[in-house]
mmCIF file with all atom_site columns, all heavy atoms in Angstrom:
data_model
loop_
_atom_site.group_PDB
_atom_site.id
_atom_site.type_symbol
_atom_site.label_atom_id
_atom_site.label_alt_id
_atom_site.label_comp_id
_atom_site.label_asym_id
_atom_site.label_entity_id
_atom_site.label_seq_id
_atom_site.pdbx_PDB_ins_code
_atom_site.Cartn_x
_atom_site.Cartn_y
_atom_site.Cartn_z
_atom_site.occupancy
_atom_site.B_iso_or_equiv
_atom_site.pdbx_formal_charge
_atom_site.auth_seq_id
_atom_site.auth_comp_id
_atom_site.auth_asym_id
_atom_site.auth_atom_id
_atom_site.pdbx_PDB_model_num
ATOM 1   N N   . LEU A 1 54  ? 8.413  -18.494 183.503 1.00 98.00 ? 70  LEU A N   1
ATOM 2   C CA  . LEU A 1 54  ? 9.699  -19.204 183.508 1.00 98.00 ? 70  LEU A CA  1
ATOM 3   C C   . LEU A 1 54  ? 10.718 -18.301 184.201 1.00 98.00 ? 70  LEU A C   1
ATOM 4   O O   . LEU A 1 54  ? 10.809 -17.110 183.887 1.00 98.00 ? 70  LEU A O   1
ATOM 5   C CB  . LEU A 1 54  ? 10.126 -19.473 182.060 1.00 98.00 ? 70  LEU A CB  1
ATOM 6   C CG  . LEU A 1 54  ? 11.224 -20.510 181.847 1.00 98.00 ? 70  LEU A CG  1
ATOM 7   C CD1 . LEU A 1 54  ? 10.651 -21.920 182.033 1.00 98.00 ? 70  LEU A CD1 1
ATOM 8   C CD2 . LEU A 1 54  ? 11.795 -20.400 180.436 1.00 98.00 ? 70  LEU A CD2 1
ATOM 9   N N   . LYS A 1 79  ? 16.040 -25.407 173.677 1.00 98.00 ? 95  LYS A N   1
ATOM 10  C CA  . LYS A 1 79  ? 15.215 -24.389 173.014 1.00 98.00 ? 95  LYS A CA  1
ATOM 11  C C   . LYS A 1 79  ? 14.965 -23.188 173.929 1.00 98.00 ? 95  LYS A C   1
ATOM 12  O O   . LYS A 1 79  ? 14.747 -22.081 173.445 1.00 98.00 ? 95  LYS A O   1
ATOM 13  C CB  . LYS A 1 79  ? 13.858 -24.983 172.576 1.00 98.00 ? 95  LYS A CB  1
ATOM 14  C CG  . LYS A 1 79  ? 13.961 -26.022 171.486 1.00 98.00 ? 95  LYS A CG  1
ATOM 15  C CD  . LYS A 1 79  ? 14.498 -25.409 170.189 1.00 98.00 ? 95  LYS A CD  1
ATOM 16  C CE  . LYS A 1 79  ? 14.964 -26.450 169.208 1.00 98.00 ? 95  LYS A CE  1
ATOM 17  N NZ  . LYS A 1 79  ? 15.978 -25.988 168.287 1.00 98.00 ? 95  LYS A NZ  1
ATOM 18  N N   . LEU A 1 80  ? 14.928 -23.423 175.251 1.00 98.00 ? 96  LEU A N   1
ATOM 19  C CA  . LEU A 1 80  ? 14.576 -22.331 176.164 1.00 98.00 ? 96  LEU A CA  1
ATOM 20  C C   . LEU A 1 80  ? 15.793 -21.584 176.732 1.00 98.00 ? 96  LEU A C   1
ATOM 21  O O   . LEU A 1 80  ? 15.681 -20.407 177.092 1.00 98.00 ? 96  LEU A O   1
ATOM 22  C CB  . LEU A 1 80  ? 13.721 -22.871 177.332 1.00 98.00 ? 96  LEU A CB  1
ATOM 23  C CG  . LEU A 1 80  ? 12.409 -23.565 176.941 1.00 98.00 ? 96  LEU A CG  1
ATOM 24  C CD1 . LEU A 1 80  ? 11.670 -24.044 178.191 1.00 98.00 ? 96  LEU A CD1 1
ATOM 25  C CD2 . LEU A 1 80  ? 11.504 -22.657 176.114 1.00 98.00 ? 96  LEU A CD2 1
ATOM 26  N N   . PRO A 1 82  ? 18.939 -20.511 175.419 1.00 98.00 ? 98  PRO A N   1
ATOM 27  C CA  . PRO A 1 82  ? 19.694 -19.410 174.798 1.00 98.00 ? 98  PRO A CA  1
ATOM 28  C C   . PRO A 1 82  ? 19.034 -18.044 174.984 1.00 98.00 ? 98  PRO A C   1
ATOM 29  O O   . PRO A 1 82  ? 19.709 -17.077 175.362 1.00 98.00 ? 98  PRO A O   1
ATOM 30  C CB  . PRO A 1 82  ? 19.751 -19.807 173.322 1.00 98.00 ? 98  PRO A CB  1
ATOM 31  C CG  . PRO A 1 82  ? 19.552 -21.287 173.299 1.00 98.00 ? 98  PRO A CG  1
ATOM 32  C CD  . PRO A 1 82  ? 18.650 -21.586 174.455 1.00 98.00 ? 98  PRO A CD  1
ATOM 33  N N   . ALA A 1 83  ? 17.731 -17.943 174.739 1.00 98.00 ? 99  ALA A N   1
ATOM 34  C CA  . ALA A 1 83  ? 17.060 -16.643 174.806 1.00 98.00 ? 99  ALA A CA  1
ATOM 35  C C   . ALA A 1 83  ? 16.845 -16.180 176.247 1.00 98.00 ? 99  ALA A C   1
ATOM 36  O O   . ALA A 1 83  ? 16.966 -14.992 176.557 1.00 98.00 ? 99  ALA A O   1
ATOM 37  C CB  . ALA A 1 83  ? 15.723 -16.702 174.085 1.00 98.00 ? 99  ALA A CB  1
ATOM 38  N N   . THR A 1 84  ? 16.532 -17.120 177.145 1.00 98.00 ? 100 THR A N   1
ATOM 39  C CA  . THR A 1 84  ? 16.266 -16.728 178.533 1.00 98.00 ? 100 THR A CA  1
ATOM 40  C C   . THR A 1 84  ? 17.571 -16.532 179.301 1.00 98.00 ? 100 THR A C   1
ATOM 41  O O   . THR A 1 84  ? 17.605 -15.791 180.277 1.00 98.00 ? 100 THR A O   1
ATOM 42  C CB  . THR A 1 84  ? 15.450 -17.818 179.258 1.00 98.00 ? 100 THR A CB  1
ATOM 43  O OG1 . THR A 1 84  ? 16.193 -19.049 179.224 1.00 98.00 ? 100 THR A OG1 1
ATOM 44  C CG2 . THR A 1 84  ? 14.089 -18.035 178.602 1.00 98.00 ? 100 THR A CG2 1
ATOM 45  N N   . ARG A 1 145 ? 6.743  -23.792 172.600 1.00 98.00 ? 161 ARG A N   1
ATOM 46  C CA  . ARG A 1 145 ? 7.631  -22.757 172.028 1.00 98.00 ? 161 ARG A CA  1
ATOM 47  C C   . ARG A 1 145 ? 6.799  -21.583 171.526 1.00 98.00 ? 161 ARG A C   1
ATOM 48  O O   . ARG A 1 145 ? 7.174  -20.424 171.686 1.00 98.00 ? 161 ARG A O   1
ATOM 49  C CB  . ARG A 1 145 ? 8.444  -23.334 170.854 1.00 98.00 ? 161 ARG A CB  1
ATOM 50  C CG  . ARG A 1 145 ? 9.542  -24.262 171.267 1.00 98.00 ? 161 ARG A CG  1
ATOM 51  C CD  . ARG A 1 145 ? 10.111 -25.004 170.079 1.00 98.00 ? 161 ARG A CD  1
ATOM 52  N NE  . ARG A 1 145 ? 10.975 -24.164 169.252 1.00 98.00 ? 161 ARG A NE  1
ATOM 53  C CZ  . ARG A 1 145 ? 11.656 -24.637 168.201 1.00 98.00 ? 161 ARG A CZ  1
ATOM 54  N NH1 . ARG A 1 145 ? 11.562 -25.903 167.854 1.00 98.00 ? 161 ARG A NH1 1
ATOM 55  N NH2 . ARG A 1 145 ? 12.433 -23.839 167.504 1.00 98.00 ? 161 ARG A NH2 1
ATOM 56  N N   . GLN A 1 146 ? 5.669  -21.902 170.898 1.00 98.00 ? 162 GLN A N   1
ATOM 57  C CA  . GLN A 1 146 ? 4.837  -20.821 170.343 1.00 98.00 ? 162 GLN A CA  1
ATOM 58  C C   . GLN A 1 146 ? 4.024  -20.090 171.403 1.00 98.00 ? 162 GLN A C   1
ATOM 59  O O   . GLN A 1 146 ? 3.488  -19.020 171.146 1.00 98.00 ? 162 GLN A O   1
ATOM 60  C CB  . GLN A 1 146 ? 3.899  -21.367 169.265 1.00 98.00 ? 162 GLN A CB  1
ATOM 61  C CG  . GLN A 1 146 ? 4.627  -21.782 167.995 1.00 98.00 ? 162 GLN A CG  1
ATOM 62  C CD  . GLN A 1 146 ? 3.670  -22.116 166.849 1.00 98.00 ? 162 GLN A CD  1
ATOM 63  O OE1 . GLN A 1 146 ? 2.636  -21.484 166.668 1.00 98.00 ? 162 GLN A OE1 1
ATOM 64  N NE2 . GLN A 1 146 ? 4.018  -23.124 166.067 1.00 98.00 ? 162 GLN A NE2 1
ATOM 65  N N   . PHE A 1 148 ? 5.323  -19.079 174.285 1.00 98.00 ? 164 PHE A N   1
ATOM 66  C CA  . PHE A 1 148 ? 6.219  -18.035 174.812 1.00 98.00 ? 164 PHE A CA  1
ATOM 67  C C   . PHE A 1 148 ? 6.314  -16.891 173.799 1.00 98.00 ? 164 PHE A C   1
ATOM 68  O O   . PHE A 1 148 ? 6.035  -17.089 172.608 1.00 98.00 ? 164 PHE A O   1
ATOM 69  C CB  . PHE A 1 148 ? 7.624  -18.614 175.045 1.00 98.00 ? 164 PHE A CB  1
ATOM 70  C CG  . PHE A 1 148 ? 7.751  -19.451 176.294 1.00 98.00 ? 164 PHE A CG  1
ATOM 71  C CD1 . PHE A 1 148 ? 7.919  -20.821 176.214 1.00 98.00 ? 164 PHE A CD1 1
ATOM 72  C CD2 . PHE A 1 148 ? 7.713  -18.848 177.551 1.00 98.00 ? 164 PHE A CD2 1
ATOM 73  C CE1 . PHE A 1 148 ? 8.036  -21.596 177.368 1.00 98.00 ? 164 PHE A CE1 1
ATOM 74  C CE2 . PHE A 1 148 ? 7.837  -19.610 178.705 1.00 98.00 ? 164 PHE A CE2 1
ATOM 75  C CZ  . PHE A 1 148 ? 7.993  -20.987 178.607 1.00 98.00 ? 164 PHE A CZ  1
ATOM 76  N N   . PRO A 1 149 ? 6.741  -15.692 174.247 1.00 97.00 ? 165 PRO A N   1
ATOM 77  C CA  . PRO A 1 149 ? 6.961  -14.607 173.290 1.00 97.00 ? 165 PRO A CA  1
ATOM 78  C C   . PRO A 1 149 ? 7.948  -15.049 172.192 1.00 97.00 ? 165 PRO A C   1
ATOM 79  O O   . PRO A 1 149 ? 8.831  -15.878 172.450 1.00 97.00 ? 165 PRO A O   1
ATOM 80  C CB  . PRO A 1 149 ? 7.587  -13.494 174.147 1.00 97.00 ? 165 PRO A CB  1
ATOM 81  C CG  . PRO A 1 149 ? 7.224  -13.825 175.553 1.00 97.00 ? 165 PRO A CG  1
ATOM 82  C CD  . PRO A 1 149 ? 7.053  -15.316 175.630 1.00 97.00 ? 165 PRO A CD  1
ATOM 83  N N   . ALA A 1 150 ? 7.809  -14.472 170.983 1.00 97.00 ? 166 ALA A N   1
ATOM 84  C CA  . ALA A 1 150 ? 8.597  -14.911 169.820 1.00 97.00 ? 166 ALA A CA  1
ATOM 85  C C   . ALA A 1 150 ? 10.100 -14.859 170.064 1.00 97.00 ? 166 ALA A C   1
ATOM 86  O O   . ALA A 1 150 ? 10.872 -15.645 169.508 1.00 97.00 ? 166 ALA A O   1
ATOM 87  C CB  . ALA A 1 150 ? 8.236  -14.059 168.612 1.00 97.00 ? 166 ALA A CB  1
ATOM 88  N N   . LYS A 1 151 ? 10.522 -13.940 170.942 1.00 98.00 ? 167 LYS A N   1
ATOM 89  C CA  . LYS A 1 151 ? 11.971 -13.806 171.165 1.00 98.00 ? 167 LYS A CA  1
ATOM 90  C C   . LYS A 1 151 ? 12.567 -15.021 171.885 1.00 98.00 ? 167 LYS A C   1
ATOM 91  O O   . LYS A 1 151 ? 13.794 -15.126 171.991 1.00 98.00 ? 167 LYS A O   1
ATOM 92  C CB  . LYS A 1 151 ? 12.280 -12.498 171.907 1.00 98.00 ? 167 LYS A CB  1
ATOM 93  C CG  . LYS A 1 151 ? 11.631 -12.381 173.242 1.00 98.00 ? 167 LYS A CG  1
ATOM 94  C CD  . LYS A 1 151 ? 11.753 -10.985 173.809 1.00 98.00 ? 167 LYS A CD  1
ATOM 95  C CE  . LYS A 1 151 ? 10.857 -10.897 175.032 1.00 98.00 ? 167 LYS A CE  1
ATOM 96  N NZ  . LYS A 1 151 ? 10.780 -9.593  175.629 1.00 98.00 ? 167 LYS A NZ  1
ATOM 97  N N   . ILE A 1 152 ? 11.708 -15.956 172.316 1.00 98.00 ? 168 ILE A N   1
ATOM 98  C CA  . ILE A 1 152 ? 12.227 -17.216 172.883 1.00 98.00 ? 168 ILE A CA  1
ATOM 99  C C   . ILE A 1 152 ? 13.088 -17.943 171.848 1.00 98.00 ? 168 ILE A C   1
ATOM 100 O O   . ILE A 1 152 ? 13.929 -18.766 172.188 1.00 98.00 ? 168 ILE A O   1
ATOM 101 C CB  . ILE A 1 152 ? 11.069 -18.144 173.351 1.00 98.00 ? 168 ILE A CB  1
ATOM 102 C CG1 . ILE A 1 152 ? 11.578 -19.234 174.312 1.00 98.00 ? 168 ILE A CG1 1
ATOM 103 C CG2 . ILE A 1 152 ? 10.353 -18.823 172.203 1.00 98.00 ? 168 ILE A CG2 1
ATOM 104 C CD1 . ILE A 1 152 ? 11.867 -18.791 175.687 1.00 98.00 ? 168 ILE A CD1 1
ATOM 105 N N   . GLU A 1 153 ? 12.883 -17.651 170.564 1.00 98.00 ? 169 GLU A N   1
ATOM 106 C CA  . GLU A 1 153 ? 13.632 -18.322 169.494 1.00 98.00 ? 169 GLU A CA  1
ATOM 107 C C   . GLU A 1 153 ? 15.007 -17.692 169.253 1.00 98.00 ? 169 GLU A C   1
ATOM 108 O O   . GLU A 1 153 ? 15.765 -18.148 168.397 1.00 98.00 ? 169 GLU A O   1
ATOM 109 C CB  . GLU A 1 153 ? 12.830 -18.322 168.184 1.00 98.00 ? 169 GLU A CB  1
ATOM 110 C CG  . GLU A 1 153 ? 11.483 -19.024 168.268 1.00 98.00 ? 169 GLU A CG  1
ATOM 111 C CD  . GLU A 1 153 ? 11.588 -20.513 168.610 1.00 98.00 ? 169 GLU A CD  1
ATOM 112 O OE1 . GLU A 1 153 ? 12.677 -21.079 168.480 1.00 98.00 ? 169 GLU A OE1 1
ATOM 113 O OE2 . GLU A 1 153 ? 10.563 -21.084 169.028 1.00 98.00 ? 169 GLU A OE2 1
ATOM 114 N N   . SER A 1 154 ? 15.307 -16.631 170.015 1.00 98.00 ? 170 SER A N   1
ATOM 115 C CA  . SER A 1 154 ? 16.588 -15.961 169.806 1.00 98.00 ? 170 SER A CA  1
ATOM 116 C C   . SER A 1 154 ? 17.753 -16.841 170.275 1.00 98.00 ? 170 SER A C   1
ATOM 117 O O   . SER A 1 154 ? 17.627 -17.602 171.235 1.00 98.00 ? 170 SER A O   1
ATOM 118 C CB  . SER A 1 154 ? 16.594 -14.638 170.575 1.00 98.00 ? 170 SER A CB  1
ATOM 119 O OG  . SER A 1 154 ? 17.863 -14.056 170.475 1.00 98.00 ? 170 SER A OG  1
ATOM 120 N N   . GLN A 1 158 ? 17.722 -12.507 175.919 1.00 98.00 ? 174 GLN A N   1
ATOM 121 C CA  . GLN A 1 158 ? 16.761 -11.418 175.725 1.00 98.00 ? 174 GLN A CA  1
ATOM 122 C C   . GLN A 1 158 ? 16.095 -11.126 177.062 1.00 98.00 ? 174 GLN A C   1
ATOM 123 O O   . GLN A 1 158 ? 16.069 -11.978 177.947 1.00 98.00 ? 174 GLN A O   1
ATOM 124 C CB  . GLN A 1 158 ? 15.672 -11.838 174.728 1.00 98.00 ? 174 GLN A CB  1
ATOM 125 C CG  . GLN A 1 158 ? 16.198 -12.364 173.408 1.00 98.00 ? 174 GLN A CG  1
ATOM 126 C CD  . GLN A 1 158 ? 16.869 -11.284 172.583 1.00 98.00 ? 174 GLN A CD  1
ATOM 127 O OE1 . GLN A 1 158 ? 16.322 -10.193 172.424 1.00 98.00 ? 174 GLN A OE1 1
ATOM 128 N NE2 . GLN A 1 158 ? 18.070 -11.561 172.091 1.00 98.00 ? 174 GLN A NE2 1
ATOM 129 N N   . TRP A 1 162 ? 9.077  -14.191 180.826 1.00 97.00 ? 178 TRP A N   1
ATOM 130 C CA  . TRP A 1 162 ? 8.734  -15.339 179.973 1.00 97.00 ? 178 TRP A CA  1
ATOM 131 C C   . TRP A 1 162 ? 7.446  -15.958 180.495 1.00 97.00 ? 178 TRP A C   1
ATOM 132 O O   . TRP A 1 162 ? 7.466  -16.937 181.214 1.00 97.00 ? 178 TRP A O   1
ATOM 133 C CB  . TRP A 1 162 ? 9.895  -16.333 179.963 1.00 97.00 ? 178 TRP A CB  1
ATOM 134 C CG  . TRP A 1 162 ? 11.182 -15.691 179.521 1.00 97.00 ? 178 TRP A CG  1
ATOM 135 C CD1 . TRP A 1 162 ? 12.205 -15.267 180.321 1.00 97.00 ? 178 TRP A CD1 1
ATOM 136 C CD2 . TRP A 1 162 ? 11.542 -15.353 178.179 1.00 97.00 ? 178 TRP A CD2 1
ATOM 137 N NE1 . TRP A 1 162 ? 13.191 -14.692 179.551 1.00 97.00 ? 178 TRP A NE1 1
ATOM 138 C CE2 . TRP A 1 162 ? 12.816 -14.731 178.229 1.00 97.00 ? 178 TRP A CE2 1
ATOM 139 C CE3 . TRP A 1 162 ? 10.930 -15.514 176.937 1.00 97.00 ? 178 TRP A CE3 1
ATOM 140 C CZ2 . TRP A 1 162 ? 13.469 -14.280 177.088 1.00 97.00 ? 178 TRP A CZ2 1
ATOM 141 C CZ3 . TRP A 1 162 ? 11.582 -15.061 175.814 1.00 97.00 ? 178 TRP A CZ3 1
ATOM 142 C CH2 . TRP A 1 162 ? 12.837 -14.452 175.887 1.00 97.00 ? 178 TRP A CH2 1
ATOM 143 N N   . ARG A 1 506 ? 8.563  -14.511 164.917 1.00 98.00 ? 522 ARG A N   1
ATOM 144 C CA  . ARG A 1 506 ? 9.181  -15.814 165.155 1.00 98.00 ? 522 ARG A CA  1
ATOM 145 C C   . ARG A 1 506 ? 10.057 -16.207 163.956 1.00 98.00 ? 522 ARG A C   1
ATOM 146 O O   . ARG A 1 506 ? 11.196 -16.647 164.108 1.00 98.00 ? 522 ARG A O   1
ATOM 147 C CB  . ARG A 1 506 ? 8.067  -16.858 165.312 1.00 98.00 ? 522 ARG A CB  1
ATOM 148 C CG  . ARG A 1 506 ? 8.100  -17.689 166.530 1.00 98.00 ? 522 ARG A CG  1
ATOM 149 C CD  . ARG A 1 506 ? 6.751  -18.357 166.798 1.00 98.00 ? 522 ARG A CD  1
ATOM 150 N NE  . ARG A 1 506 ? 6.041  -17.599 167.805 1.00 98.00 ? 522 ARG A NE  1
ATOM 151 C CZ  . ARG A 1 506 ? 6.301  -17.683 169.106 1.00 98.00 ? 522 ARG A CZ  1
ATOM 152 N NH1 . ARG A 1 506 ? 7.233  -18.514 169.548 1.00 98.00 ? 522 ARG A NH1 1
ATOM 153 N NH2 . ARG A 1 506 ? 5.641  -16.943 169.968 1.00 98.00 ? 522 ARG A NH2 1
ATOM 154 N N   . THR A 1 509 ? 13.128 -14.069 163.926 1.00 98.00 ? 525 THR A N   1
ATOM 155 C CA  . THR A 1 509 ? 14.068 -14.437 164.983 1.00 98.00 ? 525 THR A CA  1
ATOM 156 C C   . THR A 1 509 ? 14.813 -15.724 164.625 1.00 98.00 ? 525 THR A C   1
ATOM 157 O O   . THR A 1 509 ? 15.978 -15.896 164.973 1.00 98.00 ? 525 THR A O   1
ATOM 158 C CB  . THR A 1 509 ? 13.325 -14.596 166.331 1.00 98.00 ? 525 THR A CB  1
ATOM 159 O OG1 . THR A 1 509 ? 12.508 -13.447 166.509 1.00 98.00 ? 525 THR A OG1 1
ATOM 160 C CG2 . THR A 1 509 ? 14.275 -14.724 167.494 1.00 98.00 ? 525 THR A CG2 1
#
Side-chain angles (χ1 to χ4, degrees):
L70 196 75
K95 293 296 165 206
L96 301 180
T100 59
R161 287 168 75 175
Q162 290 189 37
F164 283 110
K167 60 191 170 185
I168 197 76
E169 300 298 343
S170 175
Q174 307 292 313
W178 304 101
R522 234 162 260 281
T525 311

